[in-house]
């Protein structure tokens, strides 16, 4: 009898009663659906629709975190669910789209490039989850998986929009896929924008900048979006090189001062 009373239940009743927050997880589910839809469209040869679905998943993925923070509905379940959704939408889906669209005829190199991207996304998400309280929140360590997915999907979208077939640009696609995969697992820092507080008032010029940004994107979505994410992917390396040069220059200036002493 004592043993029966001392046994712990398999499920903690208090945790079971908590349930999950519906609002942010609805956005996560919608992002997961968009990623799955992109895979289905790529299998059907509809690569433009697949690329657009990746961008929709990216928008929904950005909203779920914002909504959770604004409504104070963050949870461990939501964080894990978001990571699994990201692996589908920004890991498996872009790799499959690029492989089916351009890399399929390249033999081993094609599927290896796609796998490098897919593995990079998985490692990036795992490292992000373990380092979430360690890294400076102003920066991402490595290229974020949504940005990497937008880079790959953006190339597919802009090339198709210009009437060019995937196999004609397979070497560019292969190089970009490997670059995105390696960038995700690199130690290069990319600006996160997480210190921006949406609940605080902002200058009127910020609203004008948002309006101009929407107009710019709407003028030619494939080209503008691909250009923006390409600039973002390169920005981390540019800032890293600039910081390295500044550090080297400051050390060179400090060295003569020490010898004079």
């Amino acid at each position: 009898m004592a043993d029966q009373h001392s046994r712990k239940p398999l499920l903690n009743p208090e945790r079971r009663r908590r349930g999950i927050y519906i609002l942010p997880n609805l956005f996560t589910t919608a992002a997961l659906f968009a990623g799955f839809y992109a895979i289905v469209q790529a299998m059907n040869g509809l690569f433009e629709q697949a690329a657009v679905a990746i961008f929709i998943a990216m928008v929904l993925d950005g909203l779920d975190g914002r909504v959770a923070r604004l409504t104070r509905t963050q949870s461990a379940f939501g964080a894990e669910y978001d990571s699994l959704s990201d692996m589908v939408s920004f890991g498996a889906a872009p790799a499959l789209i690029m492989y089916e669209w351009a890399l399929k005829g390249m033999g081993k190199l094609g599927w290896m490039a796609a796998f490098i991207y897919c593995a990079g996304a998985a490692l990036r998400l795992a490292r992000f989850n373990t380092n979430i309280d360690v890294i400076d929140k102003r920066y991402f360590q490595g290229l974020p998986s949504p940005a990497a997915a937008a880079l790959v999907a953006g190339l597919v979208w802009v090339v198709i929009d210009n009437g060019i077939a995937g196999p004609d640009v397979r070497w560019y696609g292969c190089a970009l896929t490997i670059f995105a995969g390696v960038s995700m697992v690199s130690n290069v820092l990319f600006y996160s924008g997480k210190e921006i507080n949406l609940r605080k008032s902002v200058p009127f010029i910020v609203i004008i900048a948002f309006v101009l940004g929407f107009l710019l994107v709407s003028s030619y979505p494939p080209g503008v979006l691909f250009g923006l994410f390409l600039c973002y992917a390169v920005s981390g390396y540019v800032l890293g090189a600039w910081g390295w040069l500044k550090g080297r220059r400051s050390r060179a200036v400090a060295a003569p001062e020490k010898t004079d002493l």
Side-chain angles (χ1 to χ4, degrees):
M1 293 295 292
D3 291 340
Q4 291 180 356
H5 289 295
S6 62
R7 287 178 185 174
K8 292 183 178 180
L10 294 176
L11 291 175
N12 190 325
E14 185 179 346
R15 288 189 177 181
R16 186 170 51 192
R17 284 195 298 268
R18 269 183 215 167
I20 61 173
Y21 296 110
I22 187 68
L23 188 58
N25 289 302
L26 279 177
F27 284 99
T28 305
T29 302
L32 176 61
F33 173 78
F36 179 76
Y37 179 82
I39 293 174
V40 172
Q41 295 308 306
M43 292 171 64
N44 291 329
L46 302 174
F47 299 109
E48 187 171 9
Q49 289 89 326
V52 173
I54 294 295
F55 282 99
I56 294 174
M58 186 185 67
V59 173
L60 293 168
D61 179 70
L63 287 174
D64 67 357
R66 294 288 183 183
V67 168
R69 284 188 291 272
L70 287 171
T71 58
R72 302 185 187 280
T73 53
Q74 302 102 315
S75 66
F77 174 86
E80 295 298 328
Y81 186 32
D82 182 66
S83 293
L84 293 172
S85 172
D86 287 355
M87 185 56 214
V88 174
S89 300
F90 309 129
L96 178 64
I97 292 169
M98 181 59 75
Y99 177 77
E100 289 289 332
W101 177 65
L103 307 181
K104 200 172 185 178
M106 298 181 71
K108 291 183 179 180
L109 180 60
W111 65 258
M112 286 175 65
F115 177 73
I116 288 172
Y117 177 91
C118 192
L123 292 169
R124 168 70 177 78
L125 290 167
R127 185 174 66 178
F128 176 79
N129 290 338
T130 55
N131 292 351
I132 193 166
D133 295 323
V134 178
I135 301 299
D136 187 346
K137 293 187 182 298
R138 294 175 299 169
Y139 299 97
F140 292 118
Q141 184 183 15
L143 184 66
S145 56
L151 192 63
V152 172
L155 177 68
V156 175
W157 193 6
V158 75
V159 169
I160 291 176
D161 194 67
N162 284 277
I164 303 172
D168 295 337
V169 293
R170 61 184 181 272
W171 289 106
Y172 296 104
C174 182
L176 187 71
T177 303
I178 294 174
F179 168 76
V182 172
S183 295
M184 282 190 283
V185 296
S186 69
N187 289 323
V188 179
L189 299 179
F190 293 84
Y191 178 67
S192 68
K194 285 187 176 181
E195 77 275 12
I196 299 174
N197 193 339
L198 297 178
R199 288 179 289 186
K200 288 186 177 180
S201 60
V202 294
F204 185 70
I205 191 66
V206 175
I207 304 300
I208 296 176
F210 273 111
V211 172
L212 292 176
F214 280 119
L215 290 175
L216 181 64
V217 172
S218 63
S219 64
Y220 182 46
V224 173
L225 287 172
F226 176 66
L228 287 174
F229 282 100
L230 183 61
C231 290
Y232 180 72
V234 174
S235 68
Y237 293 95
V238 172
L239 292 175
W242 176 252
W244 179 78
L245 287 173
K246 283 182 66 177
R248 186 176 180 184
R249 193 174 300 170
S250 63
R251 287 193 297 270
V253 171
E257 295 178 358
K258 291 182 179 180
T259 55
D260 293 340
L261 293 174

